[in-house]
Amino acid sequence: MSQTPSPDRPTTRRHSWAEPYKIKMVEPLQVTSRAERESALAGAGWNTFLLRSRDVYIDLLTDSGTNAMSQEQWAALMLGDEAYAGSESFYRLERTIQEVYGYPFVVPTHQGRGAEHIISQVLISPGDVVPGNMYFTTTRLHQELAGAAFVDVIVDEAHDPASEHPFKGDVDLDKLQRVIDEHGAERIPYVSIAVTVNMAGGQPMSLANIVAVRELCDRNGVPLYCDITRIAENAWFIREREPGCAQLSVAEIVRRICDLTDGAWMSAKKDALVNIGGFLAVRDEGVFDEARNLCVVYEGLHTYGGLAGRDMEAIAQGIRESIAQAHLDARIGQVHYLGQQLVREGVPVVRPLGGHAVFLDAAGILAHLPQDQFPAQRLAGELYLEAGVRTMERGIVSAGRDPRTGEHRRPRLELVRITIPRRVYTQAHMDVTADAVLAVWDRRASVGGLDMTFEPKYLRFFQARFAPR
Ligand code: PLI
């Protein structure tokens, strides 16, 4: 049987993406009635973040902290050294990060945004400009709170849900050079890249582009820092799609990416297969000294950073599991299994399918609604009403307001993210989810908009409230 090359599915292997594990412990799920869901959604102000998890059947809100740990991770918890200072668990985590990612200096943090806070405070001065490959909500907020303006320098294709560009996470080198020329290299504390790019649809960067960004940074004397939250998934795509990379292992690609950067932050709650944790890892000893000094102010002592010793043990084990080829085949295979069902039925989704989620193009699905009526927020609500499936808005609500003008930021992408936790749900759960999307797709013409009735100041998507118009 020959296969047509597609950016969404591996063509190099013919076996299925069946999970390389079996299930030892189960957690019951509750199916609710439509009336119960209507009441829960109204109570949550049509914000899926404000639902109680007991009211959710299949929870595809996020892949963050929602992963299932392995027996090795659960066993590692028992080895946690809970010393306040000098915990052995910290040194095991530090050694793992040094070996897998190659950074010499490690600062543990309670989760990704703790690391974003510290690196932003250390590197940014008020009035600085930080270019990056599309914003991420918490990353940009910490850069702004430190006094910088974020400038998007991702390739144009990233803003087009239909573009089949295989590396929609790539930086547009001309855009990046223009930002540096316009503001001067001395106003750019670092270039901020992410692998993969969450808000673009879980889209990867190519190794060639990271090499080119590094060269451009070197020419201009600007450091390069990377959000490696989903680096293993990015490496999987590079191995699948980038010419000349099929012979490399995911571990080798991960290491090559890190070797091109001056430092990184990670939310361990994603790739690293744990429920809590993060870290900052850098090469410059001066940056490290300041970072671990701020760690004791905001996170905890620099050998635990807001984590229990057992958490650090689980992260160290999870990092090693995260780069296993069979794990990533199954993880991304499951995401694509769901996505392909929607693609086959003509539902507009972000193309090519990404690493951690299927992103519905809400602007395409609810094309009759203006962006001011929050089509993606509404669509996420409708999916919950349909089948108790919880998803997340990634559009105008997530983009927030411009701090200078107070106006809504209007992203071109108005998306609903159907996010798949790692090693948690089955193929049948994906089928139920696809059916729910198709049911809403069939009745899309009758779906109305929303008004925002409450808007918090920071990261409004977490706590805003809405009502049907
Ligand atoms: O949620 P944290 O604080 O552990 O990590 C923040 C964070 C940083 N970078 C990236 C790329 C993320 O995706 C990220 C968190 N993402 C969440 C919570 C998500 O649902 O995608």
Side-chain angles (χ1 to χ4, degrees), residues 388-412:
V389 174
R390 171 153 70 171
T391 58
M392 178 195 295
E393 193 264 9
R394 295 273 81 157
I396 188 170
V397 181
S398 294
R401 291 183 185 271
D402 185 321
R404 285 159 305 163
T405 65
E407 296 295 318
H408 286 306
R409 286 166 159 143
R410 293 174 186 282
R412 272 178 63 198

PDB file of all heavy atoms in Angstrom, residues 388-412:
ATOM      1  N   GLY A 388     -20.643  17.757  26.548  1.00  0.00           N
ATOM      2  CA  GLY A 388     -19.832  17.817  27.772  1.00  0.00           C
ATOM      3  C   GLY A 388     -18.347  17.817  27.492  1.00  0.00           C
ATOM      4  O   GLY A 388     -17.544  17.509  28.375  1.00  0.00           O
ATOM      5  N   VAL A 389     -17.962  18.175  26.255  1.00  0.00           N
ATOM      6  CA  VAL A 389     -16.548  18.248  25.891  1.00  0.00           C
ATOM      7  C   VAL A 389     -16.067  19.670  26.169  1.00  0.00           C
ATOM      8  O   VAL A 389     -16.636  20.639  25.665  1.00  0.00           O
ATOM      9  CB  VAL A 389     -16.341  17.913  24.391  1.00  0.00           C
ATOM     10  CG1 VAL A 389     -14.890  18.142  23.990  1.00  0.00           C
ATOM     11  CG2 VAL A 389     -16.767  16.482  24.111  1.00  0.00           C
ATOM     12  N   ARG A 390     -15.011  19.783  26.983  1.00  0.00           N
ATOM     13  CA  ARG A 390     -14.511  21.123  27.338  1.00  0.00           C
ATOM     14  C   ARG A 390     -13.310  21.479  26.474  1.00  0.00           C
ATOM     15  O   ARG A 390     -12.317  20.752  26.437  1.00  0.00           O
ATOM     16  CB  ARG A 390     -14.128  21.167  28.812  1.00  0.00           C
ATOM     17  CG  ARG A 390     -13.394  22.458  29.171  1.00  0.00           C
ATOM     18  CD  ARG A 390     -13.540  22.875  30.588  1.00  0.00           C
ATOM     19  NE  ARG A 390     -12.856  22.032  31.547  1.00  0.00           N
ATOM     20  CZ  ARG A 390     -12.728  22.348  32.834  1.00  0.00           C
ATOM     21  NH1 ARG A 390     -13.256  23.480  33.286  1.00  0.00           N
ATOM     22  NH2 ARG A 390     -12.124  21.534  33.673  1.00  0.00           N
ATOM     23  N   THR A 391     -13.385  22.626  25.794  1.00  0.00           N
ATOM     24  CA  THR A 391     -12.305  23.141  24.952  1.00  0.00           C
ATOM     25  C   THR A 391     -12.022  24.585  25.374  1.00  0.00           C
ATOM     26  O   THR A 391     -12.566  25.043  26.368  1.00  0.00           O
ATOM     27  CB  THR A 391     -12.713  23.084  23.468  1.00  0.00           C
ATOM     28  OG1 THR A 391     -13.921  23.869  23.313  1.00  0.00           O
ATOM     29  CG2 THR A 391     -12.975  21.649  23.021  1.00  0.00           C
ATOM     30  N   MET A 392     -11.207  25.278  24.618  1.00  0.00           N
ATOM     31  CA  MET A 392     -10.769  26.618  25.019  1.00  0.00           C
ATOM     32  C   MET A 392     -10.785  27.603  23.858  1.00  0.00           C
ATOM     33  O   MET A 392     -10.376  27.247  22.751  1.00  0.00           O
ATOM     34  CB  MET A 392      -9.343  26.514  25.565  1.00  0.00           C
ATOM     35  CG  MET A 392      -8.723  27.811  25.976  1.00  0.00           C
ATOM     36  SD  MET A 392      -6.932  27.717  26.214  1.00  0.00           S
ATOM     37  CE  MET A 392      -6.770  26.612  27.579  1.00  0.00           C
ATOM     38  N   GLU A 393     -11.206  28.833  24.132  1.00  0.00           N
ATOM     39  CA  GLU A 393     -11.106  29.920  23.157  1.00  0.00           C
ATOM     40  C   GLU A 393      -9.660  30.320  22.941  1.00  0.00           C
ATOM     41  O   GLU A 393      -8.901  30.442  23.909  1.00  0.00           O
ATOM     42  CB  GLU A 393     -11.886  31.135  23.696  1.00  0.00           C
ATOM     43  CG  GLU A 393     -12.132  32.223  22.669  1.00  0.00           C
ATOM     44  CD  GLU A 393     -11.133  33.383  22.648  1.00  0.00           C
ATOM     45  OE1 GLU A 393     -10.077  33.345  23.332  1.00  0.00           O
ATOM     46  OE2 GLU A 393     -11.397  34.329  21.914  1.00  0.00           O
ATOM     47  N   ARG A 394      -9.240  30.509  21.683  1.00  0.00           N
ATOM     48  CA  ARG A 394      -7.927  31.083  21.392  1.00  0.00           C
ATOM     49  C   ARG A 394      -8.129  32.102  20.283  1.00  0.00           C
ATOM     50  O   ARG A 394      -7.769  31.905  19.139  1.00  0.00           O
ATOM     51  CB  ARG A 394      -6.913  30.017  20.963  1.00  0.00           C
ATOM     52  CG  ARG A 394      -6.563  29.017  22.036  1.00  0.00           C
ATOM     53  CD  ARG A 394      -5.438  29.403  22.986  1.00  0.00           C
ATOM     54  NE  ARG A 394      -5.783  30.279  24.076  1.00  0.00           N
ATOM     55  CZ  ARG A 394      -5.075  30.361  25.225  1.00  0.00           C
ATOM     56  NH1 ARG A 394      -4.047  29.597  25.431  1.00  0.00           N
ATOM     57  NH2 ARG A 394      -5.398  31.229  26.152  1.00  0.00           N
ATOM     58  N   GLY A 395      -8.759  33.220  20.640  1.00  0.00           N
ATOM     59  CA  GLY A 395      -9.039  34.255  19.646  1.00  0.00           C
ATOM     60  C   GLY A 395      -8.976  35.615  20.301  1.00  0.00           C
ATOM     61  O   GLY A 395      -8.044  35.896  21.065  1.00  0.00           O
ATOM     62  N   ILE A 396      -9.992  36.426  20.056  1.00  0.00           N
ATOM     63  CA  ILE A 396      -9.966  37.822  20.516  1.00  0.00           C
ATOM     64  C   ILE A 396      -9.973  37.924  22.042  1.00  0.00           C
ATOM     65  O   ILE A 396      -9.375  38.836  22.610  1.00  0.00           O
ATOM     66  CB  ILE A 396     -11.141  38.619  19.877  1.00  0.00           C
ATOM     67  CG1 ILE A 396     -11.022  40.112  20.195  1.00  0.00           C
ATOM     68  CG2 ILE A 396     -12.482  38.059  20.303  1.00  0.00           C
ATOM     69  CD1 ILE A 396     -11.987  40.981  19.415  1.00  0.00           C
ATOM     70  N   VAL A 397     -10.620  36.976  22.719  1.00  0.00           N
ATOM     71  CA  VAL A 397     -10.653  37.044  24.186  1.00  0.00           C
ATOM     72  C   VAL A 397      -9.245  36.771  24.728  1.00  0.00           C
ATOM     73  O   VAL A 397      -8.716  37.524  25.561  1.00  0.00           O
ATOM     74  CB  VAL A 397     -11.666  36.044  24.776  1.00  0.00           C
ATOM     75  CG1 VAL A 397     -11.698  36.170  26.301  1.00  0.00           C
ATOM     76  CG2 VAL A 397     -13.056  36.267  24.200  1.00  0.00           C
ATOM     77  N   SER A 398      -8.607  35.716  24.228  1.00  0.00           N
ATOM     78  CA  SER A 398      -7.249  35.378  24.683  1.00  0.00           C
ATOM     79  C   SER A 398      -6.256  36.489  24.353  1.00  0.00           C
ATOM     80  O   SER A 398      -5.304  36.719  25.107  1.00  0.00           O
ATOM     81  CB  SER A 398      -6.775  34.079  24.021  1.00  0.00           C
ATOM     82  OG  SER A 398      -7.557  32.991  24.449  1.00  0.00           O
ATOM     83  N   ALA A 399      -6.456  37.175  23.226  1.00  0.00           N
ATOM     84  CA  ALA A 399      -5.491  38.203  22.795  1.00  0.00           C
ATOM     85  C   ALA A 399      -5.511  39.410  23.726  1.00  0.00           C
ATOM     86  O   ALA A 399      -4.526  40.147  23.813  1.00  0.00           O
ATOM     87  CB  ALA A 399      -5.779  38.623  21.361  1.00  0.00           C
ATOM     88  N   GLY A 400      -6.613  39.676  24.402  1.00  0.00           N
ATOM     89  CA  GLY A 400      -6.680  40.763  25.384  1.00  0.00           C
ATOM     90  C   GLY A 400      -6.671  42.138  24.737  1.00  0.00           C
ATOM     91  O   GLY A 400      -6.982  42.296  23.548  1.00  0.00           O
ATOM     92  N   ARG A 401      -6.324  43.154  25.541  1.00  0.00           N
ATOM     93  CA  ARG A 401      -6.314  44.534  25.049  1.00  0.00           C
ATOM     94  C   ARG A 401      -4.888  45.050  24.922  1.00  0.00           C
ATOM     95  O   ARG A 401      -4.015  44.649  25.674  1.00  0.00           O
ATOM     96  CB  ARG A 401      -7.093  45.455  26.008  1.00  0.00           C
ATOM     97  CG  ARG A 401      -8.570  45.181  26.011  1.00  0.00           C
ATOM     98  CD  ARG A 401      -9.315  46.148  26.907  1.00  0.00           C
ATOM     99  NE  ARG A 401     -10.725  45.763  26.972  1.00  0.00           N
ATOM    100  CZ  ARG A 401     -11.658  46.198  26.124  1.00  0.00           C
ATOM    101  NH1 ARG A 401     -11.347  47.045  25.164  1.00  0.00           N
ATOM    102  NH2 ARG A 401     -12.905  45.783  26.242  1.00  0.00           N
ATOM    103  N   ASP A 402      -4.679  45.955  23.983  1.00  0.00           N
ATOM    104  CA  ASP A 402      -3.381  46.619  23.842  1.00  0.00           C
ATOM    105  C   ASP A 402      -3.190  47.529  25.054  1.00  0.00           C
ATOM    106  O   ASP A 402      -4.022  48.415  25.292  1.00  0.00           O
ATOM    107  CB  ASP A 402      -3.383  47.426  22.539  1.00  0.00           C
ATOM    108  CG  ASP A 402      -2.034  48.045  22.256  1.00  0.00           C
ATOM    109  OD1 ASP A 402      -1.386  48.520  23.222  1.00  0.00           O
ATOM    110  OD2 ASP A 402      -1.629  48.070  21.089  1.00  0.00           O
ATOM    111  N   PRO A 403      -2.095  47.339  25.848  1.00  0.00           N
ATOM    112  CA  PRO A 403      -1.956  48.147  27.069  1.00  0.00           C
ATOM    113  C   PRO A 403      -1.822  49.646  26.777  1.00  0.00           C
ATOM    114  O   PRO A 403      -2.138  50.473  27.623  1.00  0.00           O
ATOM    115  CB  PRO A 403      -0.682  47.596  27.729  1.00  0.00           C
ATOM    116  CG  PRO A 403       0.006  46.772  26.708  1.00  0.00           C
ATOM    117  CD  PRO A 403      -1.014  46.373  25.688  1.00  0.00           C
ATOM    118  N   ARG A 404      -1.375  50.012  25.559  1.00  0.00           N
ATOM    119  CA  ARG A 404      -1.222  51.453  25.249  1.00  0.00           C
ATOM    120  C   ARG A 404      -2.542  52.088  24.858  1.00  0.00           C
ATOM    121  O   ARG A 404      -2.863  53.188  25.268  1.00  0.00           O
ATOM    122  CB  ARG A 404      -0.200  51.648  24.124  1.00  0.00           C
ATOM    123  CG  ARG A 404       1.254  51.449  24.591  1.00  0.00           C
ATOM    124  CD  ARG A 404       2.143  51.152  23.419  1.00  0.00           C
ATOM    125  NE  ARG A 404       1.616  49.994  22.682  1.00  0.00           N
ATOM    126  CZ  ARG A 404       1.940  49.650  21.461  1.00  0.00           C
ATOM    127  NH1 ARG A 404       2.769  50.388  20.769  1.00  0.00           N
ATOM    128  NH2 ARG A 404       1.438  48.562  20.886  1.00  0.00           N
ATOM    129  N   THR A 405      -3.355  51.397  24.049  1.00  0.00           N
ATOM    130  CA  THR A 405      -4.580  52.017  23.531  1.00  0.00           C
ATOM    131  C   THR A 405      -5.817  51.572  24.296  1.00  0.00           C
ATOM    132  O   THR A 405      -6.859  52.235  24.240  1.00  0.00           O
ATOM    133  CB  THR A 405      -4.783  51.631  22.054  1.00  0.00           C
ATOM    134  OG1 THR A 405      -5.000  50.205  22.009  1.00  0.00           O
ATOM    135  CG2 THR A 405      -3.565  51.988  21.210  1.00  0.00           C
ATOM    136  N   GLY A 406      -5.742  50.452  24.996  1.00  0.00           N
ATOM    137  CA  GLY A 406      -6.923  49.924  25.681  1.00  0.00           C
ATOM    138  C   GLY A 406      -7.906  49.227  24.743  1.00  0.00           C
ATOM    139  O   GLY A 406      -8.953  48.740  25.171  1.00  0.00           O
ATOM    140  N   GLU A 407      -7.586  49.186  23.461  1.00  0.00           N
ATOM    141  CA  GLU A 407      -8.486  48.539  22.484  1.00  0.00           C
ATOM    142  C   GLU A 407      -8.268  47.023  22.471  1.00  0.00           C
ATOM    143  O   GLU A 407      -7.183  46.546  22.789  1.00  0.00           O
ATOM    144  CB  GLU A 407      -8.208  49.080  21.072  1.00  0.00           C
ATOM    145  CG  GLU A 407      -8.505  50.555  20.891  1.00  0.00           C
ATOM    146  CD  GLU A 407      -9.997  50.853  21.040  1.00  0.00           C
ATOM    147  OE1 GLU A 407     -10.809  50.074  20.514  1.00  0.00           O
ATOM    148  OE2 GLU A 407     -10.329  51.846  21.720  1.00  0.00           O
ATOM    149  N   HIS A 408      -9.330  46.290  22.062  1.00  0.00           N
ATOM    150  CA  HIS A 408      -9.161  44.854  21.828  1.00  0.00           C
ATOM    151  C   HIS A 408      -8.016  44.652  20.845  1.00  0.00           C
ATOM    152  O   HIS A 408      -7.941  45.346  19.831  1.00  0.00           O
ATOM    153  CB  HIS A 408     -10.380  44.242  21.118  1.00  0.00           C
ATOM    154  CG  HIS A 408     -11.597  44.067  21.948  1.00  0.00           C
ATOM    155  ND1 HIS A 408     -11.609  43.390  23.134  1.00  0.00           N
ATOM    156  CD2 HIS A 408     -12.879  44.465  21.719  1.00  0.00           C
ATOM    157  CE1 HIS A 408     -12.846  43.376  23.615  1.00  0.00           C
ATOM    158  NE2 HIS A 408     -13.631  44.029  22.783  1.00  0.00           N
ATOM    159  N   ARG A 409      -7.144  43.657  21.121  1.00  0.00           N
ATOM    160  CA  ARG A 409      -6.266  43.186  20.061  1.00  0.00           C
ATOM    161  C   ARG A 409      -7.101  42.264  19.196  1.00  0.00           C
ATOM    162  O   ARG A 409      -7.883  41.463  19.717  1.00  0.00           O
ATOM    163  CB  ARG A 409      -5.096  42.422  20.654  1.00  0.00           C
ATOM    164  CG  ARG A 409      -4.074  43.341  21.317  1.00  0.00           C
ATOM    165  CD  ARG A 409      -3.143  42.529  22.153  1.00  0.00           C
ATOM    166  NE  ARG A 409      -1.886  43.213  22.406  1.00  0.00           N
ATOM    167  CZ  ARG A 409      -1.226  43.150  23.557  1.00  0.00           C
ATOM    168  NH1 ARG A 409      -1.698  42.435  24.554  1.00  0.00           N
ATOM    169  NH2 ARG A 409      -0.099  43.791  23.709  1.00  0.00           N
ATOM    170  N   ARG A 410      -6.952  42.376  17.893  1.00  0.00           N
ATOM    171  CA  ARG A 410      -7.796  41.584  16.987  1.00  0.00           C
ATOM    172  C   ARG A 410      -6.941  40.601  16.203  1.00  0.00           C
ATOM    173  O   ARG A 410      -6.505  40.902  15.099  1.00  0.00           O
ATOM    174  CB  ARG A 410      -8.558  42.500  16.035  1.00  0.00           C
ATOM    175  CG  ARG A 410      -9.572  43.349  16.751  1.00  0.00           C
ATOM    176  CD  ARG A 410     -10.236  44.354  15.846  1.00  0.00           C
ATOM    177  NE  ARG A 410     -11.081  45.211  16.645  1.00  0.00           N
ATOM    178  CZ  ARG A 410     -12.279  44.845  17.095  1.00  0.00           C
ATOM    179  NH1 ARG A 410     -12.760  43.661  16.769  1.00  0.00           N
ATOM    180  NH2 ARG A 410     -12.981  45.661  17.857  1.00  0.00           N
ATOM    181  N   PRO A 411      -6.693  39.416  16.767  1.00  0.00           N
ATOM    182  CA  PRO A 411      -5.860  38.446  16.048  1.00  0.00           C
ATOM    183  C   PRO A 411      -6.583  37.942  14.801  1.00  0.00           C
ATOM    184  O   PRO A 411      -7.821  37.862  14.787  1.00  0.00           O
ATOM    185  CB  PRO A 411      -5.688  37.312  17.071  1.00  0.00           C
ATOM    186  CG  PRO A 411      -6.885  37.416  17.949  1.00  0.00           C
ATOM    187  CD  PRO A 411      -7.251  38.876  18.010  1.00  0.00           C
ATOM    188  N   ARG A 412      -5.809  37.641  13.772  1.00  0.00           N
ATOM    189  CA  ARG A 412      -6.456  37.078  12.572  1.00  0.00           C
ATOM    190  C   ARG A 412      -6.978  35.686  12.849  1.00  0.00           C
ATOM    191  O   ARG A 412      -7.922  35.233  12.201  1.00  0.00           O
ATOM    192  CB  ARG A 412      -5.454  37.059  11.411  1.00  0.00           C
ATOM    193  CG  ARG A 412      -5.466  38.374  10.644  1.00  0.00           C
ATOM    194  CD  ARG A 412      -4.448  38.360   9.529  1.00  0.00           C
ATOM    195  NE  ARG A 412      -4.726  37.330   8.523  1.00  0.00           N
ATOM    196  CZ  ARG A 412      -3.808  36.903   7.656  1.00  0.00           C
ATOM    197  NH1 ARG A 412      -2.580  37.389   7.695  1.00  0.00           N
ATOM    198  NH2 ARG A 412      -4.120  35.992   6.765  1.00  0.00           N
TER     199      ARG A 412
END
